[in-house]
Amino acid sequence: MTANNAATVDSPQLRVIDSSLMMKVFYAFAAMALLSLVISFGGKWLGRSIIKAGYTDDTTVHEVVIGNDVVSVPANVIRFDRARRDGIASRLDLYFRYPQMDGYSTAARDDFNDVGGRRTIVFVSFEPRMMSRDMSGRFEPIYKNLIAPTGKPGPGGTTLYDFTEPSGYVNEVLAVAARAGQEPFVARCLSGPAAEQSLAPCERDVHVGNALSLTYRFPQSLLADWRNLDAAIATETGRILKTAR
């Protein structure tokens, strides 16, 4: 075989090799570009998710049925993502910014993330009623037998009572305030280090609707404003709760 013949035979093989190599390089660069795009998009999405921390600013209204009552609320006040839907539920957990009584939004992000330690978020739960009396109604027949006979002055005109050791309410105090023509305002609050570490160490429950119990947990700093807080909860409940007759 002559040199010219050899070159003629070898040339196509060299072109095939070069073409295959170029295709591999092209696919490698394409894959890198795609990966870069995914990382960029994913990073932005993850960043938004971290900022929202499970919150949503969606204001789509959902109707949640609990027993014979319907709670009609926008998605941005529903605490857990799995509960942001219409339908039947055994309980519903919400959160509101006080005193606005609104849900999560970009403008309210710092409050919901407790930036600066302001602590303005109130947690609300609706569930079927398990007791015949709410917390105010339980004061005389139950709580009064579980607390020390005398208390100390608390914020907003409340009186803070320590629970007795056999009561089982370890590291808690009972906040009580008289109300004209009504049963007293009553709330249980954590005390000591546990209270300092909790975003909402105080708790109160009231009967609402046909057969629901509403429990709301709130920052201890709001105990001084218990009148307005309790009224705001009652007003908001009246707005979102649709009671079947």
Side-chain angles (χ1 to χ4, degrees), residues 60-199:
T60 301
V61 175
H62 295 288
E63 293 194 340
V64 181
V65 181
I66 307 175
N68 291 324
D69 297 286
V70 178
V71 184
S72 180
V73 286
N76 67 333
V77 305
I78 299 177
R79 189 176 175 189
F80 301 114
D81 180 65
R82 64 180 181 273
R84 294 170 186 148
R85 59 176 179 80
D86 297 301
I88 298 172
S90 58
R91 66 176 283 152
L92 182 64
D93 297 290
L94 313 175
Y95 40 23
F96 296 93
R97 181 175 59 149
Y98 180 80
Q100 296 88 346
M101 297 306 288
D102 57 4
Y104 178 86
S105 66
T106 301
R109 179 174 59 197
D110 287 351
D111 288 330
F112 276 83
N113 286 323
D114 192 36
V115 174
R118 294 182 59 199
R119 299 194 178 181
T120 62
I121 304 304
V122 178
F123 300 89
V124 175
S125 299
F126 290 95
E127 58 189 331
R129 198 175 297 168
M130 302 297 291
M131 298 184 181
S132 60
R133 298 171 181 263
D134 61 16
M135 192 169 282
S136 290
R138 296 196 299 272
F139 177 68
E140 286 290 339
I142 298 177
Y143 287 128
K144 208 168 183 180
N145 300 312
L146 301 176
I147 57 177
T150 57
K152 58 185 178 182
T158 61
T159 301
L160 302 180
Y161 294 91
D162 291 322
F163 282 97
T164 60
E165 276 191 33
S167 69
Y169 293 104
V170 181
N171 296 326
E172 291 189 36
V173 296
L174 194 70
V176 183
R179 297 187 294 182
Q182 293 180 274
E183 292 176 317
F185 169 88
V186 179
R188 290 200 341 257
C189 295
L190 296 173
S191 61
E196 296 174 3
Q197 295 169 9
S198 175
L199 292 176

Side-chain angles (χ1 to χ4, degrees), residues 41-56 104 109 113:
F41 175 79
K44 291 178 182 177
W45 178 87
L46 182 60
R48 288 195 295 269
S49 296
I50 290 172
I51 290 171
K52 287 190 175 181
Y55 304 126
T56 180
Y104 178 86
R109 179 174 59 197
N113 286 323

